[in-house]
Amino acid sequence: MDREKVLKIAEAIVNSKKTIVLTGAGISTESGIPDFRSPGGIWTRFDPALMDADILYQNPSYFYSKALPMLEFFKDINNARPSPAHLILADMEREGLISSVITQNIDSLHTKAGSKKVYEVHGNLKEAHCMSCGKKTDFNCLVEKVKAGNIPPECDSCGGILRPSVILFGDRLPECFASAVEEVKSCELLFIIGSSLEVAPVNSLPYLARSYIILNRDRTSYDKGAYIVLNEKAGDGLKEIYNEIKKLQTK
Ligand code: NAD
């Protein structure tokens, strides 16, 4: 590991009055959840068309006739446990080193790890809702209906069609995205962990930050604008950075 970069990141976090973390699928690969683009990732398992809101709205019967393997995979994600990286971020929030976490992930692992201020800008897998009346239901209930051949799955209240409450391509982002934008505009440092930064509009957030740091296994097209880029695994990198912060605090 590049010790000089680790030290520079630790110093930047200690000296920043407000640091916000932005995470992507890469922080959860260490919890056993594949990301999108790596070999063996979600793109190689499921048709990207199944992540498209237009297909869901225009042809729900087609969407649900194909979606069961993906829905069952999503259901399994709900059983995942936080990785050391999620736990370190929760500790960092408790200690006032970071203010909040903005995540593109739908796995709820930051809240499971104990992070309090989390903006889940792509939703999560706890709920489903009716596309007509908006009534919420448990995500597992939607999966059970599809499994039982109820295609498309219907709302018990109004007979409308149910959908997962996660953001699909083409969906509008939830209201919390506006709050996330304000958080980034007001921070001194954006710390990006485990994201290819290829998904819009989240990938506009680095442009709004005064300065940003990237901790990611692979290179991204945002590297040249970053204050520091550390190409390491999230768990390994964060552990070293956190240790370095502790040393700086006891000096
Ligand atoms: P992505 O798949 O496009 O990129 C993931 C990045 O993480 C890659 O650049 C890869 O190099 C890096 N990475 C992989 N393992 C890593 C590790 N152990 N440590 C550090 N970096 C690692 O993911 P994205 O940028 O988050 O965008 C994809 C979209 O996919 C998001 O919108 C998200 O909602 C969704 N998604 C979510 C989950 C989840 O909830 N866990 C999983 C897959 C996809």
Side-chain angles (χ1 to χ4, degrees):
M1 188 149 332
D2 187 327
R3 307 295 324 161
E4 207 176 304
K5 284 187 179 181
V6 169
L7 179 59
K8 263 179 98 177
I9 295 175
E11 281 171 347
I13 292 172
V14 167
N15 293 331
S16 158
K17 287 197 185 71
K18 182 172 179 181
T19 300
I20 307 292
V21 172
L22 169 64
T23 63
I27 195 169
S28 295
T29 56
E30 290 165 25
S31 290
I33 304 171
D35 61 14
F36 262 171
R37 293 173 177 81
S38 298
I42 291 174
W43 280 157
T44 59
R45 298 185 188 198
F46 303 112
D47 181 355
L50 290 177
M51 310 228 174
D52 193 322
D54 280 348
I55 311 259
L56 171 61
Y57 280 90
Q58 282 165 22
N59 197 345
S61 297
Y62 171 80
F63 179 91
Y64 281 109
S65 71
K66 302 275 179 199
L68 188 57
M70 186 180 78
L71 293 173
E72 288 198 308
F73 168 75
F74 280 173
K75 202 173 141 194
D76 287 345
I77 288 182
N78 275 331
N79 299 324
R81 306 302 312 154
S83 69
H86 293 102
L87 295 169
I88 290 173
L89 289 178
D91 284 344
M92 287 175 77
E93 182 187 4
R94 268 191 293 276
E95 292 166 21
L97 290 162
I98 61 170
S99 297
S100 62
V101 177
I102 301 168
T103 188
Q104 301 169 81
N105 296 341
I106 54 178
D107 53 31
S108 302
L109 288 178
H110 288 297
T111 42
K112 279 187 187 169
S115 288
K116 298 283 179 240
K117 206 167 173 194
V118 182
Y119 298 90
E120 292 179 320
V121 295
H122 289 170
N124 64 54
L125 290 168
K126 285 183 236 149
E127 285 174 346
H129 65 271
C130 174
M131 299 200 280
S132 302
C133 72
K135 190 176 173 213
K136 290 177 181 171
T137 182
D138 189 62
F139 177 74
N140 290 348
C141 169
L142 178 152
V143 181
E144 289 314 313
K145 280 179 189 264
V146 177
K147 240 170 141 175
N150 183 348
I151 291 179
E154 287 171 1
C155 170
D156 292 334
S157 297
C158 76
I161 296 168
L162 296 175
R163 62 158 292 173
S165 301
V166 290
I167 300 301
L168 300 172
F169 290 114
D171 272 327
R172 280 180 59 188
L173 261 55
E175 277 169 23
C176 76
F177 184 65
S179 311
V181 166
E182 291 312 312
E183 283 280 80
V184 174
K185 279 183 181 166
S186 68
C187 77
E188 270 189 19
L189 183 65
L190 180 65
F191 185 15
I192 301 162
I193 305 172
S195 178
S196 65
L197 295 167
E198 287 190 25
V199 176
V202 167
N203 63 359
S204 62
L205 294 177
Y207 297 123
L208 303 177
R210 229 180 281 177
S211 173
Y212 66 86
I213 286 172
I214 295 178
L215 166 58
N216 201 54
R217 194 191 58 201
D218 301 309
R219 287 159 196 260
T220 75
S221 58
Y222 285 71
D223 288 1
K224 51 188 174 307
Y227 171 50
I228 309 160
V229 177
L230 184 62
N231 289 128
E232 293 288 347
K233 286 187 175 173
D236 295 344
L238 262 180
K239 200 169 139 221
E240 294 301 318
I241 291 163
Y242 190 54
N243 284 342
E244 211 53 63
I245 288 173
K246 293 282 146 203
K247 283 190 215 158
L248 288 171
Q249 286 176 330
T250 51
K251 263 186 188 168

